[in-house]
Amino acid sequence: MTSPAQQLPPGWTAEWEPNHQRYLFIETATGQTSWEPPAASPDGAALDVGASNAAHHKRRQYAAGQTQAYYGAADTLGGGGGYGVAPGAPAQQGQLFTPGLAAENQFQQQQQQQMQAPGQPPYYSGAPAEPEYINGHQAPVYSQANTLVDQFSQMNMAGQKGLRLYTTNLLTSPPDPRELHRPPPEIVLPPNSCVSPSPLANADYTYQRCTLNAIPTTNSLLKKSNIPLGLVLTPYRSVKEGDEPVPLVTDTVIARCRRCRTYINPYVQFIDGGNRWRCCMCSLSNEVPQLFDWDQVRNQPGDRWARAELNHGVVEYVAPTEYMVRPPQPAVYVFLIDVSHSAIQSGMVATATRTILENLDRIPDENGRTKVAIIAFDVSLYFFSIPAGTTDSTMLVVSDVDDVFLPKPTDLLVNLSEARASLESLLGRLGDMFQDNHVIGSALGPALQAGFQLMSAMGGKIVVLSSSLPSIGVGALKNREDPKILGTSKESGLLQSATPFYKTFAIECSRAQVSVDMFLFSAAYQDVATLAYLPHYTAGQTYFYPAFNARTEDAIKFAHEFGAVLAQPIMLEAVMRVRASKSASLSYLRMSSFHGNFFVRSTDLLAMPAVPQDLSYAIEVQIEDTITAPFVVFQTAILHTSCYGERRIRVVTTAFPTTSNLSEVFASADQVAIATLLANKAVERCITHKLEDSRDALFNKMVEILQAYKASMTAAGAGASAQLAISENLKMLPVLVLGLLKNVGIRQSAQIPPDLRAYAQALLTSLPSQLLMPYVYPTFYSLHNMPPECGTVGEQGVIMPPPLPLTSERLERHGLYLIEDGQTIFLWVGRDSVSQLIIDVFNLPNYEVLRGGKTTLPVLDNPFNQRINAIVQKTREMRRGPYWPHLYIVKEDGEPALRLWALSCLIQDRSDVLPSYQQFVSQLKDKVSVARHTVYYGWLTWSHRLMAVTTKPRVSDAISYFMRSHTVSWTGMI
């Protein structure tokens, strides 16, 4: 018999691994390893199993002293990953099934015929536009039999094909930013697990994704991998152009399991001639509802296989009356507007009232039931009586803030449609009414109590716009910012609530179905950490505008974000529960911990008074018992009232295969979901423990994953190795962890203001993955030499440049670059940029007259300027969420603080006491090689060592410009 070593293509060797009783294949040139025999190309060379690193060629298209045309030719890193969607075609119509009239086994045969019929239309093939993610950038050559397996796997019927594991060496494989735009590893379900061949039977990963796309069958196997098991949910993800809309079931026929209350989904089994269905969670047999196969619109028998709940992983039901505790309530908005001296002088009141006025038509009110109230406050409360049918309004002043009461029983909370004229008149003159107000102080707590009294009977949303630290009445706060404790173990105390009022009041609001959104504008300390408790426990969101100044671009940013929040459809009176597969007597999987903006009402019931779009949640999952099923199902159900007065249930269902193979566990890991879960856990640990504990926990978790992979998946095992091995689909995880360690919410620094750190932590725990990834690992584009098609409109919209690695090695002195993290956009201008570039982009004669700072890019009549503007606009609009990033011009030799702030986004560089990516990976390698119990202080020791030897300029002042540009006296961020 020929040995494997004699059958390998050139450049490969095979070594027998006694621990695993199998051969390990090693590519001698790169050191990459694989358990699978390498496929050979026709010329005899082995196909690459890892990503090839494109060479970086510097091309001076704007060389010093030259003014040649720069549009057109460009260098690129290579083909970028596409977002293309496989073309669809209508589903085939199956034979109509009538329960009770089927012969024995006819129903099961019909199912199999529909799933395995030859000539299936391309709509069900689900062929991805990109190569299989876990197989690297170049797809292996399969035999004809493997091609058939691939085709069936795309229909959720993978035969014997499993996830293939490829190993990469982190020491020789630099991060590729395009990896973060690829879909997670494929979910390969066993044959016949789904009753529908639809590619939409599993929920899209933008709604619900798991850290592992193959669930270990035992908790010991999960612990052996050291990968945390968890779900990342965005159940009300916004639907953009090109997205599949969520189907709506309107016949009020809702089939649920009698025991575990699971909703019927594509992974149940029909038995007893189709008259009953077996639950995919607990295996209980349930009766099919009588009207399940009846088309109530046409009043005739319907096609069961065409029902949305059997073909879609995300579906929404119109709920019948038994799902209502009370009739659906109208959408209610109560605006609490700070009218103190600082709020008036900054222009916040004028901008806020104008934005509300301009967006009255966008506030959800299709059924004409939406109600609105406006309460102004400084050290007193100002109510406005807004009678319907007139343009008059009356201001009622309540000066006793210790005993808040409503001065009038009616006309304070009014119907938006009926009182439209009065509202427009009031909003138009509210700023002028308080124009000469010189009162300093804020009775925010009493204002919140007044708003709660107005709407507690119905529920709804309180929108707070506050410009100063609460100082009067209940909920008054003191300035507790102390520079001496920043960067010490006591700093975590500044991230906790200073008073129990806001948490207690938030829980009271949650019980009354009242949600709170906070818009904060203070020029000084405002205690964002305490005020953020209100949105945190009421399913709201916090927005922070430090030292807001309406005379700058701040007004544009706030007006855009505030208008987007007002226009969002909101889900009222919501409760959410996540279910997972179980046996008849025991639960396989248990939701053990929850992260996000909600209140945990019972063990697994999450209360959300008003759920905004694009808010993310993370749930840790624990394996309770050995899983014997071939696949498991997670189902998220949210019962809510739409803002149009309809009680609905949104159900998100995802099925995952189970595995007892550790290599499949690693091959199925989703690095984006893991990083999202780790970010939530890190923020929680910052608050409950110390900031350094959070940083150590992040570093240790990365070390543990690498140790587990090295011990189980490489030939070195527990011994020394010259490599730092990880699976190909996890090679961006170390740089994401480094990005978290360098993020403002977690990073080690004695210069970050507590408000800025608290707001960053609020973003880390609420942003969906699509927004969180650039916030942790920013995007970096070269604009001066981008390909000619970039900035023009293609089939998928504006074509973006290829992203660059986050290192200053890519900066050229004559170049123009864009760096963005989803919250801020930097336009970096090199000092040797030629005059023609400055003229075409900024309409200025040369580099010397260009001013750095916050700006709006001019729109000029030349192609290059239009392309740059299109890229900036696409950057602001391409992601979900209301955020509108500021644009800063950064000159290479400009103000040091602004320049260092922009450079701090290049996280692969060394900055201050924080290591570069290469140093970080080297430290990981050192820790992986030693015993696990010595790891705990690894990150702290590494940071202190860097602090002792660093000679580079400090980056701790990087956001001092950010604060000074808002006329703030804070001394820096990092």
Side-chain angles (χ1 to χ4, degrees):
M1 180 177 178
T2 307
S3 69
Q6 297 172 343
Q7 301 174 0
L8 295 175
W12 287 79
T13 61
E15 294 184 3
W16 178 254
E17 175 54 39
N19 293 335
H20 300 275
Q21 293 296 303
R22 59 191 299 191
Y23 279 98
L24 179 71
F25 300 94
I26 306 172
E27 187 178 14
T28 55
T30 64
Q32 290 186 345
T33 61
S34 173
W35 292 112
E36 302 293 336
S41 62
D43 59 0
L47 293 177
D48 262 345
V49 297
S52 60
N53 299 322
H56 173 57
H57 303 287
K58 295 185 177 180
R59 180 173 181 175
R60 287 185 174 269
Q61 220 157 328
Y62 277 103
Q66 296 179 352
T67 58
Q68 70 269 28
Y70 48 84
Y71 332 110
D75 287 338
T76 178
L77 289 177
Y83 288 89
V85 179
Q92 284 185 333
Q93 295 295 326
Q95 178 185 357
L96 185 65
F97 173 78
T98 305
L101 300 181
E104 187 70 24
N105 295 328
Q106 177 183 340
F107 187 80
Q108 289 80 356
Q109 293 170 7
Q110 184 177 335
Q111 276 186 264
Q112 295 172 4
Q113 289 170 3
Q114 290 199 9
M115 294 175 61
Q116 303 177 0
Q120 190 77 6
Y123 173 79
Y124 289 126
S125 66
E130 295 259 83
E132 185 182 346
Y133 176 66
I134 61 167
N135 290 342
H137 299 301
Q138 189 170 10
V141 177
Y142 294 120
S143 65
Q144 184 177 3
N146 283 340
T147 303
L148 293 175
V149 172
D150 284 342
Q151 294 173 354
F152 279 101
S153 70
Q154 292 158 6
M155 297 188 293
N156 291 336
M157 297 185 300
Q160 300 302 314
K161 179 190 174 187
L163 292 168
R164 303 188 66 182
L165 181 69
Y166 290 96
T167 297
T168 188
N169 183 5
L170 291 175
L171 300 178
T172 58
S173 299
D176 183 355
R178 293 170 296 183
E179 293 285 336
L180 296 178
H181 299 291
R182 300 184 184 276
E186 180 186 6
I187 298 175
V188 185
L189 292 171
N192 301 325
S193 56
C194 181
V195 298
S196 168
S198 169
L200 304 175
N202 243 4
D204 188 86
Y205 63 87
T206 55
Y207 287 101
Q208 180 168 273
R209 66 197 303 169
C210 187
T211 56
L212 294 174
N213 282 354
I215 307 299
T217 53
T218 62
N219 192 44
S220 60
L221 183 63
L222 176 65
K223 288 183 176 180
K224 192 173 182 180
S225 72
N226 280 324
I227 297 176
L229 180 59
L231 290 176
V232 177
L233 310 173
T234 312
Y236 286 103
R237 186 211 71 181
S238 56
V239 178
K240 290 200 168 189
E241 185 178 354
D243 291 337
E244 192 74 24
V246 176
L248 181 64
V249 180
T250 59
D251 58 11
T252 67
V253 178
I254 303 177
R256 300 183 65 181
C257 177
R258 291 179 290 112
R259 179 161 58 196
C260 68
R261 306 303 293 160
T262 295
Y263 294 82
I264 198 169
N265 58 76
Y267 300 98
V268 303
Q269 291 181 347
F270 288 99
I271 56 176
D272 192 18
N275 290 311
R276 303 180 69 82
W277 60 277
R278 179 175 287 119
C279 177
C280 59
M281 296 279 193
C282 67
S283 300
L284 183 69
S285 173
N286 301 272
E287 291 186 0
V288 175
Q290 292 182 353
L291 295 178
F292 197 73
D293 298 296
W294 185 258
D295 188 337
Q296 297 184 23
V297 176
R298 297 182 178 87
N299 199 26
Q300 64 183 24
D303 183 3
R304 172 179 294 187
W305 306 115
R307 290 191 67 94
E309 57 264 54
L310 296 182
N311 290 279
H312 292 79
V314 183
V315 68
E316 196 156 284
Y317 298 92
V318 174
T321 55
E322 55 262 31
Y323 286 84
M324 304 178 191
V325 177
R326 60 180 181 177
Q329 300 299 299
V332 178
Y333 295 84
V334 174
F335 298 97
L336 306 183
I337 304 176
D338 184 353
V339 292
S340 62
H341 179 71
S342 61
I344 297 295
Q345 292 301 308
S346 68
M348 183 274 285
V349 175
T351 307
T353 53
R354 185 177 65 250
T355 303
I356 297 173
L357 180 61
E358 293 173 351
N359 288 276
L360 286 178
D361 288 331
R362 300 177 66 196
I363 295 177
D365 188 30
E366 286 188 3
N367 56 3
R369 300 200 314 156
T370 300
K371 294 181 180 294
V372 175
I374 296 176
I375 301 175
F377 66 94
D378 44 28
V379 296
S380 302
L381 306 183
Y382 305 94
F383 296 84
F384 296 93
S385 175
I386 312 173
T390 69
T391 58
D392 297 329
S393 59
T394 304
M395 183 171 72
L396 307 171
V397 182
V398 175
S399 300
D400 184 4
V401 295
D402 294 326
D403 186 15
V404 176
F405 63 94
L406 301 181
K408 192 177 180 182
T410 59
D411 295 336
L412 298 179
L413 183 64
V414 296
N415 184 280
L416 175 59
S417 301
E418 296 174 359
R420 178 67 178 265
S422 301
L423 277 169
E424 291 179 349
S425 175
L426 173 61
L427 291 168
R429 57 191 177 89
L430 186 62
D432 295 334
M433 294 169 61
F434 296 92
Q435 184 175 2
D436 299 324
N437 188 5
H438 297 287
V439 175
I440 298 175
S442 171
L444 175 59
L448 286 166
Q449 291 178 329
F452 180 77
Q453 290 182 27
L454 263 181
M455 64 193 311
S456 59
M458 291 177 286
K461 181 180 285 289
I462 296 178
V463 181
V464 177
L465 300 108
S466 174
S467 256
S468 54
L469 184 72
S471 57
I472 303 295
V474 64
L477 299 172
K478 295 181 179 180
N479 189 339
R480 52 180 180 149
E481 184 179 27
D482 185 359
K484 295 180 181 179
I485 66 174
L486 298 182
T488 70
S489 59
K490 296 181 180 180
E491 184 179 3
S492 59
L494 298 179
L495 303 175
Q496 300 169 0
S497 178
T499 173
F501 166 76
Y502 291 95
K503 182 176 180 180
T504 304
F505 181 76
I507 296 173
E508 188 178 357
C509 286
S510 179
R511 291 197 186 103
Q513 304 299 338
V514 174
S515 177
V516 182
D517 279 348
M518 302 290 296
F519 290 82
L520 306 175
F521 306 87
S522 180
Y525 178 72
Q526 198 171 3
D527 205 344
V528 174
T530 297
L531 298 180
Y533 269 68
L534 283 169
H536 178 75
Y537 287 106
T538 62
Q541 182 60 296
T542 301
Y543 302 89
F544 186 39
Y545 307 89
F548 176 84
N549 185 353
R551 298 174 184 84
T552 67
E553 282 71 17
D554 289 353
I556 302 174
K557 174 181 174 65
F558 167 58
H560 185 279
E561 295 182 354
F562 189 32
V565 170
L566 293 178
Q568 278 185 351
I570 55 175
M571 282 55 70
L572 305 167
E573 303 179 287
V575 288
M576 182 172 79
R577 175 172 276 135
V578 181
R579 296 177 174 88
S581 295
K582 58 177 67 177
S583 64
S585 57
L586 294 173
S587 294
Y588 292 141
L589 303 163
R590 180 175 63 86
M591 310 300 127
S592 59
S593 185
F594 303 90
H595 307 274
N597 291 359
F598 47 73
F599 178 67
V600 183
R601 185 177 295 177
S602 63
T603 308
D604 60 347
L605 188 66
L606 310 181
M608 303 174 180
V611 186
Q613 288 184 327
D614 299 312
L615 206 61
S616 182
Y617 314 95
I619 301 176
E620 296 179 63
V621 182
Q622 184 173 338
I623 300 177
E624 294 276 284
D625 194 19
T626 300
I627 303 175
T628 57
F631 67 94
V632 296
V633 177
F634 290 95
Q635 187 177 84
T636 302
I638 310 101
L639 175 64
H640 68 277
T641 300
S642 74
C643 50
Y644 309 116
E646 198 171 45
R647 197 67 171 155
R648 291 186 176 183
I649 310 165
R650 175 164 292 195
V651 179
V652 183
T653 305
T654 312
F656 299 96
T658 59
T659 181
S660 56
N661 188 334
L662 188 58
S663 66
E664 289 189 357
V665 173
F666 280 109
S668 73
D670 182 350
Q671 57 191 352
V672 172
I674 294 172
T676 305
L677 179 61
L678 291 180
N680 280 269
K681 289 170 63 69
V683 170
E684 182 184 41
R685 196 171 184 87
C686 285
I687 298 172
T688 58
H689 294 73
K690 301 175 183 178
L691 280 162
E692 54 265 34
D693 292 343
S694 175
R695 292 187 286 265
D696 286 338
L698 279 172
F699 183 76
N700 293 342
K701 176 51 68 175
M702 191 67 248
V703 171
E704 290 170 1
I705 293 174
L706 292 169
Q707 283 179 331
Y709 193 88
K710 175 176 176 287
S712 304
M713 296 291 112
T714 66
S721 173
Q723 298 185 10
L724 184 61
I726 194 65
S727 59
E728 181 78 14
N729 52 297
L730 287 177
K731 71 176 184 179
M732 288 296 290
L733 186 58
V735 77
L736 291 178
V737 170
L738 179 62
L740 283 172
L741 290 168
K742 291 188 174 184
N743 187 271
V744 177
I746 299 174
R747 73 181 297 153
Q748 180 180 357
S749 174
Q751 303 295 326
I752 301 177
D755 280 352
L756 217 56
R757 193 185 287 277
Y759 179 60
Q761 292 187 353
L763 291 177
L764 287 173
T765 56
S766 61
L767 291 178
S769 296
Q770 187 194 35
L771 276 169
L772 181 63
M773 288 304 102
Y775 189 56
V776 172
Y777 186 85
T779 308
F780 182 26
Y781 300 126
S782 175
L783 301 181
H784 63 287
N785 60 354
M786 60 184 172
E789 67 275 7
C790 294
T792 63
V793 179
E795 294 182 359
Q796 303 295 327
V798 175
I799 301 172
M800 301 297 285
L804 302 176
L806 291 176
T807 171
S808 58
E809 294 176 0
R810 296 302 181 109
L811 293 174
E812 298 175 344
R813 296 179 63 177
H814 60 272
L816 179 69
Y817 300 88
L818 187 148
I819 311 169
E820 63 91 15
D821 64 356
Q823 303 296 315
T824 309
I825 300 174
F826 299 102
L827 209 56
W828 178 280
V829 187
R831 68 175 69 183
D832 290 340
S833 298
V834 295
S835 299
Q836 189 62 41
L837 184 147
I838 305 299
I839 293 171
D840 286 350
V841 178
F842 305 104
N843 198 26
L844 294 172
N846 53 56
Y847 175 82
E848 284 70 26
V849 300
L850 178 65
R851 295 184 60 185
K854 194 186 306 177
T855 188
T856 299
L857 202 62
V859 179
L860 306 176
D861 188 19
N862 70 75
F864 191 67
N865 175 274
Q866 294 169 3
R867 291 167 63 198
I868 299 296
N869 270 288
I871 290 171
V872 171
Q873 187 72 10
K874 178 68 177 291
T875 300
R876 285 171 164 161
E877 295 178 351
M878 66 182 177
R879 302 189 182 101
R880 297 179 173 90
Y883 299 99
W884 183 262
H886 270 314
L887 175 65
Y888 285 85
I889 303 298
V890 185
K891 298 177 66 175
E892 183 181 355
D893 56 358
E895 186 172 353
L898 176 59
R899 184 172 60 86
L900 290 175
W901 181 19
L903 290 176
S904 68
C905 292
L906 304 181
I907 63 170
Q908 291 177 223
D909 288 340
R910 177 172 145 189
S911 59
D912 204 1
V913 300
L914 304 174
S916 69
Y917 176 71
Q918 288 299 330
Q919 292 170 325
F920 181 66
V921 169
S922 297
Q923 178 71 358
L924 287 174
K925 181 181 180 300
D926 293 341
K927 293 299 180 182
V928 167
S929 301
V930 300
R932 185 173 303 176
H933 66 271
T934 63
V935 172
Y936 184 76
Y937 294 102
W939 172 253
L940 192 60
T941 303
W942 173 249
S943 300
H944 287 171
R945 185 171 61 168
L946 267 180
M947 189 183 301
V949 302
T950 182
T951 58
K952 290 194 173 186
R954 291 177 58 86
V955 189
S956 59
D957 296 329
I959 284 192
S960 62
Y961 176 86
F962 174 70
M963 309 318 299
R964 289 206 307 275
S965 67
H966 294 84
T967 67
V968 178
S969 59
W970 289 343
T971 58
M973 183 189 76
I974 299 174

